[in-house]
Amino acid sequence: MTGASPLFAVDDFTRIGRMHGRDASNMVPRQIAKLVGGMPHREAVLARYNTDTFALYLRNLGEGGTVVLAQRIRRAVKNHRFIFEDEEIPVTISLGIGTLTKNMKNAMDLIREVQTYLDKARRAGHDTINGSHSVRSIFRQIASKHVA
């Protein structure tokens, strides 16, 4: 079985809460869930991983398809108008992408890998995607920026 898992987090989430309040910081993840929930292919599971982070498990989707979908998600969030109390809140996400390998013993191995790539993407800046060498190679073929 093949599978991939993008993990993505709202950039500067605490800043959104500080500047716009708790209700705004609650609205942003809810809107992201609605926006992203309709995008994946039919064998996908979207879950809120923690306050500002979402996990997406994509069964039977290889690295190439996962990279394309991650790019679509990144762009959709960046271009979405998050409006709270008549004020637009700019929102971007950073993504880490991992794929199942034969060396992985359980789901936690995949989660650890993806979390590592997400952490690298967040350290590299906002609106960034990171993954294994092969994921980054695929991404470079379809885009010339936003790869950590």
Side-chain angles (χ1 to χ4, degrees):
M1 178 170 65
T2 61
S5 183
L7 190 63
F8 57 95
V10 179
D11 296 323
D12 284 335
F13 186 72
T14 55
R15 179 192 54 81
I16 293 170
R18 278 195 321 270
M19 291 183 68
H20 303 282
R22 183 177 176 176
D23 290 341
S25 65
N26 287 330
M27 177 268 307
V28 168
R30 283 194 308 267
Q31 284 195 12
I32 288 174
K34 287 179 184 175
L35 181 67
V36 175
M39 294 181 84
H41 72 107
R42 57 192 156 101
E43 293 190 68
V45 177
L46 175 67
R48 193 161 173 187
Y49 188 66
N50 67 29
T51 307
D52 66 339
T53 307
F54 291 85
L56 185 60
Y57 180 71
L58 305 165
R59 187 170 163 221
N60 296 324
L61 188 64
E63 286 181 333
T66 302
V67 170
V68 169
L69 181 59
Q71 178 70 317
R72 283 182 50 218
I73 291 169
R74 186 194 62 75
R75 284 185 185 140
V77 170
K78 183 178 182 176
N79 294 327
H80 183 75
R81 295 189 67 215
F82 293 87
I83 307 292
F84 183 77
E85 295 181 350
D86 298 324
E87 187 175 347
E88 186 167 352
I89 302 171
V91 176
T92 59
I93 59 173
S94 294
L95 297 97
I97 300 173
T99 54
L100 283 172
T101 65
K102 292 178 182 177
N103 298 337
M104 293 180 177
K105 296 181 179 111
N106 55 45
M108 287 308 298
D109 289 345
L110 176 60
I111 291 169
R112 276 190 288 277
E113 176 181 282
V114 176
Q115 183 68 56
T116 298
Y117 292 132
L118 174 59
D119 293 344
K120 287 180 182 180
R122 292 179 104 174
R123 282 193 305 271
H126 301 146
D127 198 27
T128 306
I129 297 174
N130 195 298
S132 67
H133 178 72
S134 58
V135 165
R136 292 191 311 270
S137 295
I138 293 166
F139 189 79
R140 285 188 187 101
Q141 292 173 13
I142 63 170
S144 60
K145 58 181 178 174
H146 303 295
V147 177

mmCIF file of all heavy atoms in Angstrom, residues 48-67:
data_model
loop_
_atom_site.group_PDB
_atom_site.id
_atom_site.type_symbol
_atom_site.label_atom_id
_atom_site.label_comp_id
_atom_site.label_asym_id
_atom_site.label_seq_id
_atom_site.Cartn_x
_atom_site.Cartn_y
_atom_site.Cartn_z
ATOM 1 N N ARG A 48 -7.505 17.691 12.450
ATOM 2 C CA ARG A 48 -6.779 18.743 13.147
ATOM 3 C C ARG A 48 -5.832 18.056 14.115
ATOM 4 O O ARG A 48 -6.241 17.287 14.986
ATOM 5 C CB ARG A 48 -7.767 19.653 13.877
ATOM 6 C CG ARG A 48 -7.117 20.932 14.353
ATOM 7 C CD ARG A 48 -8.153 21.982 14.639
ATOM 8 N NE ARG A 48 -7.539 23.149 15.245
ATOM 9 C CZ ARG A 48 -8.231 24.149 15.723
ATOM 10 N NH1 ARG A 48 -9.554 24.133 15.656
ATOM 11 N NH2 ARG A 48 -7.617 25.170 16.264
ATOM 12 N N TYR A 49 -4.542 18.329 13.954
ATOM 13 C CA TYR A 49 -3.498 17.647 14.713
ATOM 14 C C TYR A 49 -3.256 18.327 16.059
ATOM 15 O O TYR A 49 -3.016 17.683 17.048
ATOM 16 C CB TYR A 49 -2.231 17.620 13.853
ATOM 17 C CG TYR A 49 -1.105 16.801 14.374
ATOM 18 C CD1 TYR A 49 -1.194 15.424 14.471
ATOM 19 C CD2 TYR A 49 0.084 17.415 14.747
ATOM 20 C CE1 TYR A 49 -0.139 14.666 14.930
ATOM 21 C CE2 TYR A 49 1.149 16.665 15.203
ATOM 22 C CZ TYR A 49 1.039 15.300 15.307
ATOM 23 O OH TYR A 49 2.087 14.558 15.762
ATOM 24 N N ASN A 50 -3.262 19.633 16.077
ATOM 25 C CA ASN A 50 -3.241 20.417 17.312
ATOM 26 C C ASN A 50 -3.786 21.806 17.010
ATOM 27 O O ASN A 50 -4.407 22.001 15.973
ATOM 28 C CB ASN A 50 -1.857 20.432 17.992
ATOM 29 C CG ASN A 50 -0.803 21.164 17.200
ATOM 30 O OD1 ASN A 50 -1.101 22.084 16.457
ATOM 31 N ND2 ASN A 50 0.441 20.775 17.362
ATOM 32 N N THR A 51 -3.563 22.760 17.841
ATOM 33 C CA THR A 51 -4.192 24.076 17.719
ATOM 34 C C THR A 51 -4.057 24.690 16.333
ATOM 35 O O THR A 51 -5.026 25.179 15.766
ATOM 36 C CB THR A 51 -3.590 25.042 18.758
ATOM 37 O OG1 THR A 51 -3.684 24.447 20.044
ATOM 38 C CG2 THR A 51 -4.325 26.363 18.759
ATOM 39 N N ASP A 52 -2.869 24.670 15.781
ATOM 40 C CA ASP A 52 -2.619 25.350 14.506
ATOM 41 C C ASP A 52 -2.181 24.408 13.388
ATOM 42 O O ASP A 52 -1.757 24.850 12.334
ATOM 43 C CB ASP A 52 -1.552 26.433 14.694
ATOM 44 C CG ASP A 52 -0.186 25.860 15.039
ATOM 45 O OD1 ASP A 52 -0.113 24.705 15.512
ATOM 46 O OD2 ASP A 52 0.818 26.568 14.830
ATOM 47 N N THR A 53 -2.291 23.108 13.603
ATOM 48 C CA THR A 53 -1.731 22.130 12.675
ATOM 49 C C THR A 53 -2.776 21.102 12.239
ATOM 50 O O THR A 53 -3.591 20.666 13.044
ATOM 51 C CB THR A 53 -0.538 21.401 13.335
ATOM 52 O OG1 THR A 53 0.385 22.371 13.819
ATOM 53 C CG2 THR A 53 0.171 20.496 12.353
ATOM 54 N N PHE A 54 -2.705 20.733 10.962
ATOM 55 C CA PHE A 54 -3.592 19.731 10.383
ATOM 56 C C PHE A 54 -2.759 18.603 9.791
ATOM 57 O O PHE A 54 -1.671 18.833 9.260
ATOM 58 C CB PHE A 54 -4.439 20.326 9.256
ATOM 59 C CG PHE A 54 -5.464 21.309 9.713
ATOM 60 C CD1 PHE A 54 -5.135 22.634 9.908
ATOM 61 C CD2 PHE A 54 -6.765 20.901 9.951
ATOM 62 C CE1 PHE A 54 -6.085 23.551 10.328
ATOM 63 C CE2 PHE A 54 -7.721 21.807 10.366
ATOM 64 C CZ PHE A 54 -7.382 23.139 10.560
ATOM 65 N N ALA A 55 -3.296 17.397 9.855
ATOM 66 C CA ALA A 55 -2.684 16.237 9.207
ATOM 67 C C ALA A 55 -3.632 15.764 8.116
ATOM 68 O O ALA A 55 -4.849 15.787 8.279
ATOM 69 C CB ALA A 55 -2.456 15.121 10.216
ATOM 70 N N LEU A 56 -3.051 15.353 7.021
ATOM 71 C CA LEU A 56 -3.831 14.830 5.909
ATOM 72 C C LEU A 56 -3.196 13.507 5.510
ATOM 73 O O LEU A 56 -2.000 13.452 5.212
ATOM 74 C CB LEU A 56 -3.768 15.826 4.743
ATOM 75 C CG LEU A 56 -4.601 15.553 3.511
ATOM 76 C CD1 LEU A 56 -6.081 15.489 3.853
ATOM 77 C CD2 LEU A 56 -4.364 16.657 2.487
ATOM 78 N N TYR A 57 -3.967 12.427 5.571
ATOM 79 C CA TYR A 57 -3.445 11.141 5.129
ATOM 80 C C TYR A 57 -4.045 10.839 3.767
ATOM 81 O O TYR A 57 -5.267 10.857 3.594
ATOM 82 C CB TYR A 57 -3.756 10.006 6.111
ATOM 83 C CG TYR A 57 -3.204 8.704 5.598
ATOM 84 C CD1 TYR A 57 -1.834 8.487 5.588
ATOM 85 C CD2 TYR A 57 -4.028 7.733 5.059
ATOM 86 C CE1 TYR A 57 -1.303 7.316 5.064
ATOM 87 C CE2 TYR A 57 -3.507 6.564 4.543
ATOM 88 C CZ TYR A 57 -2.145 6.367 4.543
ATOM 89 O OH TYR A 57 -1.625 5.220 4.019
ATOM 90 N N LEU A 58 -3.195 10.576 2.805
ATOM 91 C CA LEU A 58 -3.608 10.341 1.421
ATOM 92 C C LEU A 58 -3.259 8.913 1.035
ATOM 93 O O LEU A 58 -2.120 8.600 0.701
ATOM 94 C CB LEU A 58 -2.897 11.342 0.494
ATOM 95 C CG LEU A 58 -3.102 12.803 0.866
ATOM 96 C CD1 LEU A 58 -2.093 13.683 0.153
ATOM 97 C CD2 LEU A 58 -4.522 13.222 0.548
ATOM 98 N N ARG A 59 -4.239 8.049 1.090
ATOM 99 C CA ARG A 59 -4.021 6.641 0.770
ATOM 100 C C ARG A 59 -3.952 6.469 -0.740
ATOM 101 O O ARG A 59 -4.736 7.051 -1.484
ATOM 102 C CB ARG A 59 -5.173 5.819 1.343
ATOM 103 C CG ARG A 59 -4.961 4.356 1.206
ATOM 104 C CD ARG A 59 -6.005 3.605 1.991
ATOM 105 N NE ARG A 59 -6.008 2.242 1.507
ATOM 106 C CZ ARG A 59 -7.084 1.535 1.307
ATOM 107 N NH1 ARG A 59 -8.260 2.033 1.576
ATOM 108 N NH2 ARG A 59 -6.996 0.310 0.857
ATOM 109 N N ASN A 60 -3.029 5.654 -1.179
ATOM 110 C CA ASN A 60 -2.853 5.323 -2.598
ATOM 111 C C ASN A 60 -2.568 6.539 -3.477
ATOM 112 O O ASN A 60 -2.986 6.596 -4.622
ATOM 113 C CB ASN A 60 -4.068 4.555 -3.139
ATOM 114 C CG ASN A 60 -4.229 3.219 -2.458
ATOM 115 O OD1 ASN A 60 -3.252 2.553 -2.134
ATOM 116 N ND2 ASN A 60 -5.459 2.831 -2.192
ATOM 117 N N LEU A 61 -1.865 7.506 -2.915
ATOM 118 C CA LEU A 61 -1.418 8.652 -3.707
ATOM 119 C C LEU A 61 0.091 8.745 -3.545
ATOM 120 O O LEU A 61 0.596 8.817 -2.430
ATOM 121 C CB LEU A 61 -2.096 9.941 -3.236
ATOM 122 C CG LEU A 61 -1.875 11.178 -4.100
ATOM 123 C CD1 LEU A 61 -2.480 10.970 -5.494
ATOM 124 C CD2 LEU A 61 -2.504 12.400 -3.456
ATOM 125 N N GLY A 62 0.801 8.717 -4.644
ATOM 126 C CA GLY A 62 2.260 8.741 -4.597
ATOM 127 C C GLY A 62 2.817 10.129 -4.319
ATOM 128 O O GLY A 62 2.079 11.090 -4.124
ATOM 129 N N GLU A 63 4.135 10.201 -4.338
ATOM 130 C CA GLU A 63 4.798 11.468 -4.022
ATOM 131 C C GLU A 63 4.412 12.586 -4.973
ATOM 132 O O GLU A 63 4.161 13.706 -4.551
ATOM 133 C CB GLU A 63 6.316 11.284 -4.029
ATOM 134 C CG GLU A 63 6.825 10.535 -2.833
ATOM 135 C CD GLU A 63 8.338 10.393 -2.845
ATOM 136 O OE1 GLU A 63 8.947 10.402 -3.936
ATOM 137 O OE2 GLU A 63 8.904 10.281 -1.753
ATOM 138 N N GLY A 64 4.362 12.299 -6.268
ATOM 139 C CA GLY A 64 4.044 13.339 -7.246
ATOM 140 C C GLY A 64 2.671 13.942 -7.014
ATOM 141 O O GLY A 64 2.513 15.165 -6.979
ATOM 142 N N GLY A 65 1.672 13.098 -6.837
ATOM 143 C CA GLY A 65 0.320 13.583 -6.578
ATOM 144 C C GLY A 65 0.216 14.337 -5.267
ATOM 145 O O GLY A 65 -0.518 15.320 -5.146
ATOM 146 N N THR A 66 0.963 13.883 -4.276
ATOM 147 C CA THR A 66 0.952 14.546 -2.973
ATOM 148 C C THR A 66 1.571 15.932 -3.060
ATOM 149 O O THR A 66 1.059 16.889 -2.480
ATOM 150 C CB THR A 66 1.705 13.685 -1.936
ATOM 151 O OG1 THR A 66 1.076 12.407 -1.870
ATOM 152 C CG2 THR A 66 1.686 14.339 -0.572
ATOM 153 N N VAL A 67 2.661 16.055 -3.802
ATOM 154 C CA VAL A 67 3.303 17.362 -3.968
ATOM 155 C C VAL A 67 2.365 18.334 -4.687
ATOM 156 O O VAL A 67 2.220 19.491 -4.280
ATOM 157 C CB VAL A 67 4.649 17.226 -4.716
ATOM 158 C CG1 VAL A 67 5.209 18.587 -5.098
ATOM 159 C CG2 VAL A 67 5.650 16.452 -3.870
#
